Each structure stands twice: as C-alpha cells, then as structure tokens.
Amino acid sequence: MSKTLKARTTAVHGGTRRSQYGEMSEAIFLTQGFVYETAEAAEARFIEAGEDEFIYARYGNPTVRMFEDRIAQIEGAEDAFACASGMAAVSGALTALLKAGDHVVSARALFGSCIYVLEEVLGRYGVEVTFVDGTDLDQWRAAIRPETKLVFFETVSNPTLEVTDLKAVADLAHAAGALVVVDNVFATPVFSEAVAQGADLVVYSATKHIDGQGRTLGGVILGSKELIRGKIEAYMKHTGAAMSPFTAWVLLKGLETLDLRVRAQAANAAAVAEAIEGHAALARVLYPGLKSHPQHDLALAQMGGSGGTMVAIDLKGGKEAAFRFLNALQVALISNNLGDAKTIVTHPATTTHQRLSDEQKATLGITPGLIRISLGIEDGEDLVADILQALDAAL
Ligand SMILES: *Cc1c(COP(=O)(O)O)cnc(C)c1O
C-alpha cells in the first residue's frame, strides 16, 4: 500500500492480506502454528522468515500482522508489535530496553499500573527511576543526566489531563542520548503526531479507543523498524504477551471506524466542556480544548488542533457531591474504562486511584470531587442535558 495515502484511508485498507478466496472482511487466522512444504522450507524459515512467512503465533500471525501494519501506517511509524494488553505493551517496552544500573526519568502523573511497573518492577531489577512533574520542563532538565537511558510519560495524563510538551522533553532526552517512550492513550492515534514530535516508541492500550466498543484487551508498541523488530520483538516474542488473532481481528475492525468515533467523541467532549464550564456545582472543568486549560495552546499544537475525548470535572461539594452527580446520570455509565462508544464516568479517588495515599492523590490533583468523563458517540445534546441535570442534582 502506498505510503502517501492519508490515515483515514489506511485505517480502512492498510495492512490487508487477502487469502486465495479474496474475502472482503479480513480473515481470522486462528492458528498457533504453520505447516512447511518440506524440511528445507522449515529450515529456511527459521534462518530468516520473509514478510508473509510465519513460524509460531507467539512470534507473529497473519491477522495480528495486519493489525500491526495498519496501525503503524495510521500512526506514521515504521513498524509495530501487538501484544495482549496495554500493560503488556508498557511493561514490555520498558523491560526490553532497560537493564540494571540504568536511569529513567518519568512523569509522576501516570496510570496506576504504570506506576507499579516503574516503581516496583524496574526498581527490583536495579533500574533507578526519578519522578518529575511532567508539565515542568525545568524538572525534566534537572533530572535527565548522562546515565539516563529512557524517559517515559503520558502525553496527556490520566485523570487530570495535564499535557507534557513532547517535543521539548524529547529534545532534552535525545541530547542526553536517552530514548523517549510515550503512553499515548489519551491523544489517540487520530490526533497523534508523536513520532514526528520526537517519540522513539509510542505505546497504546488498544483496549481504549482502538477497540472503542468494550470488547477486548489489547496493546501495541510502535516505532522504528530497528527498535520494533530488534529489541522489542526479541523480548516480546520470548516472554509471551502475544495478541490473540481473534483480538487482532476485533481491533482491525475497530481501526476502520476509529477516526469517525474519535472525532465524534472529541466533538462531544468540547460541547460538554463548554456547556458545563461555570456551573455552580463545579470548582473547575479540565479540558485541553478549553481556553481556561493551563496548556491549551500546547495541547492543540500537539494534538492536531483537538482537545481530545476526555473531560475532568471537580465538584465543589467533594465526594458526596461527586456521588450525587454519578448516581443522577441517566445516559452516562459508571465504569472505569475509557475511549468507548458509550459515555463513561469514573470517580478516580475511590476506584482507579483508590490505592494511592492521600498525599499522592493531592500531588496528582485527584481530589475527592474529581470525576473523569470519557465522552462517547451518543448525540451531543443528550449528553449535555444528562450531565447538566446531574450537576444540578449535585448542588
Ligand atoms: C488503560 C491504560 C493502560 C493499560 O492498558 P490495558 O489495556 O488496560 O492493559 C495504560 N496506560 C493508560 C494511559 C491507560 O489508559
């Protein structure tokens, strides 16, 4: 497929491998192994497998390869490695590249399981991690040192929607010879320009917008052919967090509609953020697309002019008001996933971030009144009405 096609076209056609039957919809190759015509062919394939030659599904599979090729084309990355979940992608990317004695600088506002991997797992294997406020370039500058091998951050943080300046941090990291690994879930492949902005590896939980319909777990690591088919593939294929061919097929179908869904979600996020800003029940509305967001200009420059699909709100009345709000919603669903076609509301302090100490919660801005809203693709007027009536109920 020509590299000049735009993302909305490659999202539909990219990576397709048709069998001799010429099927319209991508085939699900539910097979763990492959048969060789001769002993010589088996030997040759183990010496070097060609583009369309597979050995074992833990290493690669035609349906999984279609997903990898398609998302790489959408992201503008040379290659991709698909894995069982977003956390398999994050932990795989980090452990594949690091060894005892290495130093890592990470933003401190992270998805809970990422904090566990960086603090507990890497720590246990002798990797030193320095945590910084991801929005403060001076802290990055002070923390990155000659033995820093890698920097890690969410381009837009969960759940408080802080934006890290990817280009500026990548420049600092590259000057020290460190690799830049970003968890890009909140930006989504639709609004991402992460490779052009300096990311060496871009990681997605495909569980979120890429599936976007609540069906499956998945993850993917994207980057240069050298990194992906070198250290990343070697580590991933031997440690076992492979993506199942069925999951890859679900996600291929997800990619076909990703652009439509994510743009509809972002339009709903903007409409809701604008409609509720200033409501008497709210201490603040956090949405990168609002002028009031502290990094509004950076967010738009970094995410192709969009504020994204997520909104966070902080209710003045704390936990009681937050729970009244949640329980009054009639369309939005209480859950902890995000990026779904259905609008989902989460109270981080009592669910996703419950285990953090009060001090950690305070540092990360996870107040008792904070609610994360992942906008779905429902009618925007219905969502605005639902959220406004629930805010009234929270007063
Ligand atoms: C969900 C999520 C992950 C983990 O993905 P899973 O598919 O649940 O393993 C990692 N980072 C971010 C930012 C996420 O939102």
Side-chain angles (χ1 to χ4, degrees):
M1 178 97 33
S2 158
K3 291 262 193 293
T4 59
L5 292 171
K6 297 202 174 29
R8 283 179 62 161
T9 307
T10 56
V12 177
H13 296 288
T16 301
R17 286 161 158 76
R18 287 202 167 82
S19 78
Q20 71 272 33
Y21 299 112
E23 63 279 356
M24 172 62 71
S25 178
E26 297 76 359
I28 312 177
F29 290 92
L30 272 181
T31 180
Q32 71 4 67
F34 302 85
V35 177
Y36 313 96
E37 292 275 319
T38 61
E40 288 77 8
E43 183 185 36
R45 197 169 301 184
F46 271 75
I47 294 169
E48 189 173 1
E51 261 290 284
D52 277 304
E53 294 181 344
F54 299 90
I55 291 172
Y56 191 56
R58 176 151 48 71
Y59 296 12
N61 164 287
T63 313
V64 176
R65 195 74 192 123
M66 285 194 252
F67 169 70
E68 291 171 339
D69 283 353
R70 186 171 294 180
I71 189 158
Q73 287 176 23
I74 295 169
E75 185 70 28
E78 282 177 14
D79 215 333
F81 198 94
C83 34
S85 69
M87 283 320 301
V90 171
S91 64
L94 296 175
T95 25
L97 298 175
L98 294 166
K99 61 178 188 325
D102 285 347
H103 177 243
V104 170
V105 183
S106 171
R108 65 182 179 211
L110 294 176
F111 186 72
S113 300
C114 296
I115 299 177
Y116 174 83
V117 170
L118 284 154
E119 274 187 346
E120 301 277 329
V121 181
L122 294 183
R124 220 182 308 136
Y125 290 94
V127 175
E128 190 198 339
V129 185
T130 304
F131 288 96
V132 297
D133 174 346
T135 64
D136 184 345
L137 281 177
D138 288 337
Q139 290 194 23
W140 285 105
R141 205 172 282 120
I144 294 171
R145 45 188 214 233
E147 56 290 13
T148 305
K149 287 283 151 43
L150 187 151
V151 303
F152 179 73
F153 54 94
E154 294 175 1
T155 46
V156 180
S157 78
N158 176 31
T160 52
L161 306 171
E162 290 177 359
V163 183
T164 293
D165 188 336
L166 171 52
K167 213 185 253 166
V169 174
D171 284 348
L172 292 171
H174 289 152
L179 290 169
V180 176
V181 181
V182 297
D183 182 337
N184 213 27
V185 165
F186 279 42
T188 84
V190 173
F191 300 131
S192 169
E193 290 160 30
V195 173
Q197 289 160 351
D200 296 296
L201 289 179
V202 184
V203 173
Y204 287 104
S205 163
T207 314
K208 311 295 165 55
H209 303 81
I210 295 171
D211 173 30
Q213 289 151 87
R215 300 167 295 193
T216 185
L217 288 169
V220 63
I221 309 168
L222 299 117
S224 67
K225 205 166 260 317
E226 187 189 350
L227 274 177
I228 297 294
R229 294 296 149 201
K231 284 187 174 175
I232 298 295
E233 181 185 287
Y235 182 86
M236 298 306 297
K237 77 181 187 185
H238 293 305
T239 54
M243 177 180 282
S244 109
F246 182 73
T247 294
W249 178 80
V250 170
L251 296 174
L252 273 164
K253 291 306 180 192
L255 286 179
E256 285 186 355
T257 58
L258 179 70
D259 190 281
L260 298 175
R261 286 184 285 107
V262 165
R263 287 185 199 280
Q265 290 174 273
N268 281 342
V272 165
E274 277 158 29
I276 64 176
E277 193 171 39
H279 189 282
L282 292 173
R284 55 186 180 145
V285 176
L286 291 166
Y287 180 60
L290 284 180
K291 286 213 171 60
S292 58
H293 188 280
Q295 297 143 303
H296 173 68
D297 293 337
L298 170 65
L300 294 195
Q302 197 158 293
M303 293 203 292
S306 175
T309 68
M310 306 290 297
V311 176
I313 57 176
D314 197 358
L315 284 105
K316 282 180 192 158
K319 180 182 167 185
E320 288 72 30
F323 276 28
R324 279 201 302 278
F325 169 79
L326 292 173
N327 293 332
L329 289 164
Q330 285 163 12
V331 178
L333 303 170
I334 303 169
S335 187
N336 41 263
N337 191 21
L338 61 92
D340 202 273
K342 300 178 174 76
T343 295
I344 290 173
V345 285
T346 310
H347 185 244
T350 54
T351 61
T352 52
H353 293 69
Q354 191 193 104
R355 280 159 194 275
L356 297 184
S357 68
D358 288 346
E359 197 190 329
Q360 279 175 306
K361 281 180 198 154
T363 317
L364 297 178
I366 300 168
T367 56
L370 187 80
I371 286 175
R372 188 186 76 188
I373 310 175
S374 168
L375 279 302
I377 62 171
E378 302 95 331
D379 186 281
E381 284 179 28
D382 285 343
L383 293 176
V384 167
D386 189 35
I387 290 167
L388 281 174
Q389 66 79 25
L391 285 174
D392 290 344
L395 277 170

